[in-house]
Structure formats: C-alpha cells, structure tokens
C-alpha cells in the first residue's frame, strides 16, 4: 500500500507538471511517450518476437499522438505549416504504408511470425495511440489556448480514475455481489455503484471550480448534458478496465508492465481512460459544435 501511495503521489506531480506545460511540446512528448510504452507493453505481453514489428510498432505509437491536432506543436511549429502538411499528405496514407510493412515483415519471417502478431501490432501501434491522441484533440478542441478543452480532459480522467477509486473504496466497504467473477473476482456491483457516484461527485466539484475560475464557464445546456452522460461514461470506464483484464488473462500476465511500482504499467493505469477519452471527445464536439 505504501508503494502504491508513493507512486500515486509521483503520478500527481507528473500530472501537475504536464498541466503546467500543457501549451508547450512537453505535453505532447509525455503523451507520445506513454503511447509508445503502452504499445510496447501490449506487444511484449502478447509475445510478439519479430523485432521489426516491435520496433516499428513502438515508434509508430510514439508519433501517432502528434497527428491529434494541427496546432499540437505550437508555438514551435506554426499551425499553418502543419495544416499544409495535413492537407497535402492524408493520414490514411501513412497507415496503409506501415500496415503493408508489417505484412512484409510477416512474409520475411513467416516461420516465427503469425497473422495474430501483425493484428496485435496494428492494435498496439494505431488503435491504442489513437486513444492517447485524444488528449491533444481535446486540448485544441475549440482552438489553440482555449480553456474548455483542458476541462474536458479532466472530465474524462475523472470519469475513469474517480470511478476506479470509488469502486475500490465502495467494494471494500459494501461489496457483496460479484459483478464479473470470472474476469475480475474483486469487482462488485456495490463497488461499481459507488464508483459511478464518486466520479459524479468529483466531476460536480470540477464543474464548480471551472465555472468559478475560467474566463468563460460552462453553459446550462453544457452542464446538463455532462451530468446526463457522466454516469454512462463512468460505467464504460469500468468496461475498459474489464477489457484490459480479459487481455491480461489471455496473455497470462498479472500486469501489462512494471513502470509504476504497485500500479503496473501504462496500460494498467490508462485502460479505462482509453474508453472515456474518445467518448468525452464525441460529447465535447456536440457541446461546442
């Protein structure tokens, strides 16, 4: 427990640093590093031994978040320069070329590389990093420097981390009915309800603080919609956690990694966030569109 608390404190310090530097390249560099490490964790757990797939897959996962926004590298690279690049070179072209390279690597080492290895590498190097890329997309949702995008990032994280924290506390205090005994025996229905209520409470506090200190607060319509969708997003964050548990059972591992002592790897900490971030982005687009 002491180790978990120390690691959690370190993560909060890192989060504070990233938020402080959210409009500098440090923000996207941290996100890109998390994306690459998560991809490597998945491929390592799946025992992808093809070195080309592992190296190129990890490198691809690092660069995907840089495509999240045209202004993601402002002020060091002007938005106009990146915008021209986005227009003239479709992102799908990169995906097709890299996937073809994965299959060529399978053909070259067909005795040791299966189609499953390629499929896992595609998921690890494109799908998972796309979830991390939403951090950048939310930050610049309504333009570079707009505060509401940062609020939506915290909304998504609270839906995930608040639900997880509340479910742990509620499960220990009231847990009796197993929610999914074959996948995650410790999770209970009572804990799940407590988790959703906890995330709802924390998001309510976050809304009040944002409306108190932001230059332009949330409208009544935005607040109402967020309160309505919050329990659903919180619930789906638990589904993300259960999905990660199924993957770990399939891979026969306890944790995806060991980068965070007492907590596991990047995927162990962000599995539920990879569900809440895209859903929050969809809601945010509706609210600010």
């Amino acid at each position: 427990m002491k180790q978990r608390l120390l690691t959690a404190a370190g993560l909060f310090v890192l989060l504070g640093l990233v938020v402080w530097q959210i409009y500098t390249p440090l923000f996207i560099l941290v996100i890109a590093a998390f994306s690459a490490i998560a991809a490597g964790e998945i491929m390592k757990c799946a025992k992808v031994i093809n070195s080309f797939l592992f190296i190129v897959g990890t490198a691809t996962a690092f660069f995907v978040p840089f495509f999240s926004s045209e202004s993601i590298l402002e002020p060091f690279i002007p938005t106009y320069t990146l915008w021209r690049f986005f227009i003239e070179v479709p992102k799908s072209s990169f995906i097709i070329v890299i996937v073809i390279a994965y299959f060529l690597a399978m053909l070259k080492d067909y005795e040791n590389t299966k189609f499953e290895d390629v499929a896992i590498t595609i998921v690890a190097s494109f799908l998972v990093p796309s979830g991390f890329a939403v951090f950048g997309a939310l930050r610049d949702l309504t333009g570079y420097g707009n505060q509401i995008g940062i609020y939506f990032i915290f909304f998504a994280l609270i839906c995930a981390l608040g639900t997880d924290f509340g479910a742990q506390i509620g499960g220990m205090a009231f847990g009796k009915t197993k929610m999914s005994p074959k996948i995650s025996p410790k999770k209970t229905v009572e804990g799940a309800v407590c988790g959703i209520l906890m995330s709802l409470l924390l998001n309510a506090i976050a809304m009040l603080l944002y409306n108190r200190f932001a230059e332009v607060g949330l409208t009544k319509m935005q607040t109402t919609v967020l309160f309505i969708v919050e329990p659903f997003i919180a619930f789906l964050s638990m589904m993300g956690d259960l999905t990660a548990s199924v993957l770990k059972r399939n891979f026969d591992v306890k944790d995806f990694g060991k980068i965070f002592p007492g907590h596991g790897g990047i995927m162990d900490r962000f599995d539920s966030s990879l569900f809440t971030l895209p859903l929050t982005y969809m809601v945010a687009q509706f609210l600010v569109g």
Side-chain angles (χ1 to χ4, degrees):
M1 179 60 71
K2 181 180 179 181
Q3 189 179 54
R4 286 179 63 86
L5 291 174
L6 288 173
T7 302
L11 286 172
F12 275 113
V13 171
L14 177 61
L15 176 62
L17 178 63
V18 171
V19 171
W20 178 44
Q21 296 293 313
I22 199 165
Y23 286 113
T24 73
L26 175 65
F27 169 74
I28 195 60
L29 285 172
V30 172
I31 300 303
F34 280 1
S35 175
I37 294 170
E41 288 173 348
I42 292 173
M43 289 186 285
K44 185 177 180 180
C45 289
K47 296 179 174 58
V48 175
I49 61 174
N50 187 302
S51 57
F52 179 87
L53 292 180
F54 193 93
I55 294 172
V56 176
T58 303
T60 300
F62 179 83
F63 285 107
V64 165
F66 287 93
F67 289 85
S68 61
S69 165
E70 292 84 3
S71 56
I72 197 64
L73 288 178
E74 286 277 13
F76 290 86
I77 299 179
T79 298
Y80 175 76
T81 303
L82 288 178
W83 179 246
R84 288 292 303 275
F85 178 77
F86 270 70
I87 292 296
E88 295 178 5
V89 185
K91 288 181 280 187
S92 59
S93 301
F94 293 101
I95 297 174
I96 293 170
V97 169
I98 293 172
V99 170
I100 289 174
Y102 290 163
F103 281 109
L104 292 177
M106 180 185 71
L107 293 177
K108 185 176 184 299
D109 190 28
Y110 67 91
E111 292 181 344
N112 300 310
T113 306
K114 301 178 181 179
F115 171 74
E116 289 85 345
D117 297 331
V118 176
I120 289 168
T121 304
I122 291 173
V123 171
S125 61
F126 288 111
L127 188 59
V128 170
S130 294
F132 281 101
V134 178
F135 279 107
L138 282 173
R139 190 200 74 171
D140 299 332
L141 181 67
T142 55
Y144 178 74
N146 195 300
Q147 294 175 326
I148 194 169
I150 301 175
Y151 166 76
F152 282 122
I153 291 176
F154 279 98
F155 177 86
L157 291 177
I158 290 173
C159 284
L161 302 179
T163 302
D164 183 53
F165 175 71
Q168 286 186 8
I169 300 300
M172 288 188 293
F174 310 108
K176 292 181 180 180
T177 309
K178 299 294 183 182
M179 186 170 71
S180 185
K182 292 184 178 180
I183 298 177
S184 187
K186 293 183 179 180
K187 285 183 171 56
T188 63
V189 174
E190 294 82 4
V193 173
C194 290
I196 292 174
L197 292 176
M198 175 65 76
S199 68
L200 192 60
L201 173 63
L202 293 177
N203 261 319
I205 295 172
M207 286 180 188
L208 291 173
L209 291 174
Y210 179 76
N211 285 335
R212 173 67 177 81
F213 295 105
E215 295 177 1
V216 179
L218 299 169
T219 65
K220 289 183 178 180
M221 187 273 285
Q222 289 173 333
T223 302
T224 301
V225 171
L226 288 173
F227 268 118
I228 291 172
V229 302
E230 202 280 347
F232 296 99
I233 297 178
F235 173 76
L236 287 172
S237 77
M238 290 187 284
M239 298 303 101
D241 188 52
L242 287 174
T243 299
S245 296
V246 170
L247 290 177
K248 286 185 281 190
R249 284 185 175 274
N250 289 340
F251 297 150
D252 194 26
V253 296
K254 183 179 181 296
D255 294 314
F256 280 105
K258 299 179 180 179
I259 191 171
F260 300 135
H263 290 261
I266 295 292
M267 279 298 299
D268 295 292
R269 284 296 84 204
F270 286 92
D271 48 11
S272 53
S273 298
L274 293 179
F275 274 56
T276 63
L277 283 162
L279 292 168
T280 298
Y281 182 70
M282 293 172 62
V283 174
Q285 280 191 313
F286 167 75
L287 291 177
V288 303

